[in-house]
Amino acid sequence: MYKVVVVFFCAIFLTACSSAPYHGSNNPSVKITEARVDLSDTDKIKQILNQQYDDWHHVQYRMGGASKKGIDCSGLVYQTYRTKFGFDMPRSTKSQSKIGQSIQKNKLTAGDLVLFKTGIISRHVGIYIDKGDFLHVSSSKGVMISNLEDPYWASVYWKAQRVQ
């Protein structure tokens, strides 16, 4: 019985971010900004992402969340791309992993999506800032900035996508 309980809780924990429910891209509570930001303007993108961190760093993780009451990794990407960059974005990590064009890790620029395989079926997503740093939501620490060279993130790195 103990093994069944442990396996059950591990499965729930490992699928947290990738299994967030998709509420559709027309969620009326998350408005698309009027002006679309030029994603090739890396200085502006870095500034926006650092401001987004300042505005959200106190927010804790909540599976399926997309507000300051709690947010998950794909919710932060969804929020940021819609409200700050003016791009419609799917809500799930799985769908976000298919957006745009695949790029090599050494070609990352501000605004690119960085994706990770954090378990057998679970995935995690963040937004690249600069010098290995990326904005994301940790299930234990909430909204934060981490570095791709951190041993954990380096070991679970999967791929990167450039939104166009």
Side-chain angles (χ1 to χ4, degrees):
M1 179 64 178
Y2 173 75
K3 287 182 181 179
V4 172
V5 172
V6 169
V7 168
F8 173 76
F9 282 109
C10 287
I12 295 293
F13 176 74
L14 291 175
T15 61
C17 197
S18 65
S19 63
Y22 179 64
H23 298 293
S25 63
N26 60 356
N27 182 343
S29 67
V30 183
K31 302 280 186 217
I32 297 178
T33 187
E34 295 290 325
R36 186 175 264 202
V37 173
D38 178 3
L39 294 176
S40 67
D41 185 348
T42 56
D43 289 334
K44 184 169 181 79
I45 299 302
K46 286 187 247 183
Q47 179 184 13
I48 290 169
L49 291 172
N50 283 307
Q51 183 62 52
Q52 190 75 332
Y53 171 73
D54 289 343
D55 294 344
W56 286 78
H57 74 274
H58 64 281
V59 178
Q60 292 301 306
Y61 172 84
R62 183 171 66 92
M63 185 168 59
S67 73
K68 290 194 176 178
K69 293 180 182 177
I71 195 161
D72 65 14
C73 65
S74 60
L76 183 65
V77 169
Y78 174 78
Q79 275 279 358
T80 302
Y81 266 86
R82 287 180 66 87
T83 65
K84 300 300 180 186
F85 298 155
F87 283 79
D88 197 8
M89 177 66 67
R91 176 62 182 83
S92 72
T93 304
K94 181 178 180 178
S95 295
Q96 290 171 357
S97 73
K98 299 173 185 174
I99 292 292
Q101 169 187 335
S102 290
I103 56 167
Q104 294 176 341
K105 191 176 184 180
N106 64 352
K107 303 285 187 198
L108 285 166
T109 61
D112 290 339
L113 302 181
V114 287
L115 295 118
F116 307 89
K117 289 186 176 183
T118 55
I120 296 171
I121 60 170
S122 61
R123 304 293 179 260
H124 185 69
V125 64
I127 307 172
Y128 188 77
I129 303 171
D130 192 29
K131 298 178 183 168
D133 289 341
F134 65 100
L135 177 66
H136 69 113
V137 183
S138 161
S139 58
S140 61
K141 297 180 181 176
V143 177
M144 63 183 298
I145 293 175
S146 295
N147 192 281
L148 294 172
E149 299 308 314
D150 174 277
Y152 174 73
W153 294 115
S155 73
V156 295
Y157 180 84
W158 174 29
K159 68 178 185 169
Q161 296 290 116
R162 180 159 295 149
V163 177
Q164 302 170 325

